[in-house]
Amino acid sequence: MTQLQDDKELPHLSSDQLSPDQLSAYYSGKRLLRNEIHIQEVYFQWLLSKQYFIPVPAIKRKLFHYTCQRCGNSRRSLFGDIPCASCGETHVYCRKCIMMGRVLACDFLYYWNGPVIERTLLQYEPCTWEGTLTSTQEKAANRIVKAIQLQEKELLIWAVCGSGKTEMLFAGISEGLKKGLRVCIATPRTDVVQELKPRIQQAFSSIPIEALYGGSNDTEAKAQLIISTTHQLLRFQEAFDIMIIDEIDAFPFHSDPSLLFAVQRSRKLKSTSIYLTATPRKQHQMQILLKQLPHFFVPVRYHGHPLPVPYMKMSISLKKDVQNNHPPASFVSWLKKRKNPNRQLLIFVPTISLVESLLASVTKLLLQEQMIKNKFEIASVYANDGARVEKVQAFRDKKLVAIMTTTILERGVTFPSVDVAIFDAGHDVFDEAALVQIAGRAGRSAEDPKGEVVFFHDGKTEAMIKAVEMIKEMNKRIADF
Amino acid sequence: MHCLWCENEVEFSLTWKSLLIPSREKVLCSSCRGKLELLQGERCNMCSRVSMEKLCSDCKRWQSLTHPSSLQWNYSIYKYNYFMKELVAKWKYRGDYTLGVSFQSIFQEHFKVHFNHLRKSAIAVPIPLSHERLKERGFNQAQMLTEFLPIESCSPLERLHGEKQSKKTKKERITGGNPFKLKETIKKQVILVDDIYTTGATLHQAARLLIDSGCPAVYSYTLIRG
């Protein structure tokens, strides 16, 4: 670090260099490493001396305890030691957030302290969405608008799978945009960001929107409306007036403390946070019960039909069947007497290795039952699958009759008419939230609101019982609504 | 102890040794280690590539290009499979220095088997990075591997800044000019150390320079055969 030099004049700038006022559009609300700030070194030093940028040591050290000032990581095992070539000393670096660029102990993070960008109030309605909301959706939308108008701190929208959560947001977003507020829609998953971008862009056709995720083309991150993965929020600091978090209960959000840290730092001190979920975690349910977290409940799907209630099928030989690369015996008998054999079939299994080992025998079975004509009408989809997007699209286009998958398809995807089967529903990966989400894949369209959901198991687990209870509970609340 | 790659707990078997001397070694868990593939079976005597011929077609071409051959032979440990690519990308390009530690024990073991006869007479030389690249990455992965070895090492080579090797085509690599400069001459046998042998261009060029300045023989030891 060079010393601050107060009376240094503004250095001569090349013509493409922006003035501090212009820079504020790019850098206000951010917390960045030097190599993420694209400014010539001389000019940058001048900006530092005038305190337009404020440096903070990138890793804070307290006795034997380190904290990464970007991601909040303080676990010693997630810091590595590196003999650093740029400073010549051996020191720590953060391994937790390294995929976003390495944070070294000899580095600084910089945040903008210069002029704040003034966003103009919109004189027109930015929302160009022409659909109509159901009365339930409208109630929820109004509740969100109210929360923004009254600058409430937090609001949780508990809306069942298939209730049309995205559409409920439009009124609130447009309220924020009109007031010149900065809005962020954050979600834990990259594919959800990619899916949301065109939908939101269509709904707000004249508003510039940026979608941030690892590998995204939008890198300036200066738009008023931003859709981002929760990871990318690590580059922000006090940036957003309205923070909407979709699927707040989803992995990795609920299990990774740095993501909550990112969300909290990226919103302004005075801001409104809207949380969306179909399956709130215990902690939120508790807060709701204790009336610490305002919430709004949407028990009805957009088509007004109740959620399909899963039923459980015991299959004593399940573990043995699966080990011998066969589907559970009761699956075979269920397959023969499905209520509506025209529905597509969505099969969830607990692990990737099972997807691979069971695919052949399930294919054979479906061929025998003449559910599929050839082996190209069934596919497997899992996390590191290069053709994942294409396969899901093929299933949507009904080119595929059946899909075998892991929990990666548990949420965020919509297929109009499917039956859902879970092999080994008692496995640890299927917790209560996952089971409710998976059950929520069935009966999504008004034409066929009654898909079947079957849990194949060799012993009920608490998660299975709770999931069924939760779905029944939500269905009951439709009547009260 | 957590796996350096997947962060899962690594289980150690409880033995008298592990009880008395708790290991602080940083490692991969068994499932991640299992995804790394060792080079196995018949391989080319020159470049360590898996091949039925004693001398693979690429090496024949190298021999016809350079007389006398500058590099004696290369030895590599791993295949460059999908998992290895991810690992190397994070280690080298993202700069996760600690990940490299997971190669320490295997790099030492294979050295003992294949380079033992050179142990007393040879000196290890890491393939350098240019100053710019070194500043960008913070460390040199070849240097790191060299430090694992139980022999003396020195850095007589200097690299001029240019396009990354991994961004060039095979032809550009082989016909391109020599990117190295020699700072001092070495009269001992040399074992060049690098993370990966792809076309061999880098190693052959470095070896050429050393031989031309009077070095008696040059071998190379690389972690991966690309």
Side-chain angles (χ1 to χ4, degrees), chain B residues 144-171:
Chain B
M144 185 176 184
L145 290 170
T146 308
E147 280 160 17
F148 295 154
L149 300 178
I151 59 169
E152 234 189 299
S153 68
C154 71
S155 312
L157 295 166
E158 192 181 333
R159 192 184 199 131
L160 310 169
H161 193 56
E163 182 73 44
K164 275 185 198 157
Q165 203 70 354
S166 56
K167 297 272 160 69
K168 292 187 205 162
T169 63
K170 192 169 179 174
K171 197 174 166 201

Side-chain angles (χ1 to χ4, degrees), chain A residues 35 75-86 93-95 98-102 104 384, chain B residues 2-5 7 26 82 86 90-91 94-99 134-139 147:
Chain A
N35 60 19
R75 242 174 68 189
R76 187 60 182 90
S77 68
L78 286 176
F79 286 98
D81 295 289
I82 182 171
C84 175
S86 68
Y93 67 98
C94 179
R95 301 191 62 223
I98 198 163
M99 292 313 277
M100 303 186 65
R102 185 178 51 198
L104 295 164
N384 285 334
Chain B
H2 296 267
C3 169
L4 284 175
W5 180 257
E7 270 305 305
K26 291 179 169 165
Y82 180 78
E86 292 208 336
K90 199 173 176 199
W91 174 40
R94 295 282 171 180
D96 194 353
Y97 182 85
T98 307
L99 264 184
L134 185 63
K135 213 163 162 241
E136 192 182 296
R137 290 199 188 148
F139 71 98
E147 280 160 17

Side-chain angles (χ1 to χ4, degrees), chain A residues 249-265:
Chain A
D249 62 297
F251 182 84
F253 193 83
H254 75 272
S255 62
D256 186 345
S258 76
L259 297 180
L260 187 66
F261 174 86
V263 167
Q264 276 162 355
R265 193 180 54 202

Side-chain angles (χ1 to χ4, degrees), chain A residues 135-154:
Chain A
S135 66
T136 346
Q137 281 177 319
E138 201 164 324
K139 278 184 208 160
N142 291 339
R143 180 68 188 80
I144 295 172
V145 172
K146 194 180 123 201
I148 290 166
Q149 283 168 342
L150 300 178
Q151 299 196 335
E152 287 179 50
K153 203 165 165 5
E154 290 175 312

Side-chain angles (χ1 to χ4, degrees), chain B residues 98-177:
Chain B
T98 307
L99 264 184
V101 177
S102 62
F103 300 123
Q104 179 165 4
S105 55
I106 197 153
F107 207 64
Q108 288 168 342
E109 274 168 41
H110 282 248
F111 185 83
K112 269 184 215 154
V113 177
H114 298 276
F115 291 89
N116 211 20
H117 58 289
L118 294 169
R119 203 169 173 159
K120 297 245 163 60
S121 56
I123 188 165
V125 172
I127 294 292
L129 295 176
S130 66
H131 284 299
E132 288 83 347
R133 191 81 67 221
L134 185 63
K135 213 163 162 241
E136 192 182 296
R137 290 199 188 148
F139 71 98
N140 176 1
Q141 71 282 355
Q143 175 76 42
M144 185 176 184
L145 290 170
T146 308
E147 280 160 17
F148 295 154
L149 300 178
I151 59 169
E152 234 189 299
S153 68
C154 71
S155 312
L157 295 166
E158 192 181 333
R159 192 184 199 131
L160 310 169
H161 193 56
E163 182 73 44
K164 275 185 198 157
Q165 203 70 354
S166 56
K167 297 272 160 69
K168 292 187 205 162
T169 63
K170 192 169 179 174
K171 197 174 166 201
E172 282 170 332
R173 293 187 198 197
I174 292 169
T175 56

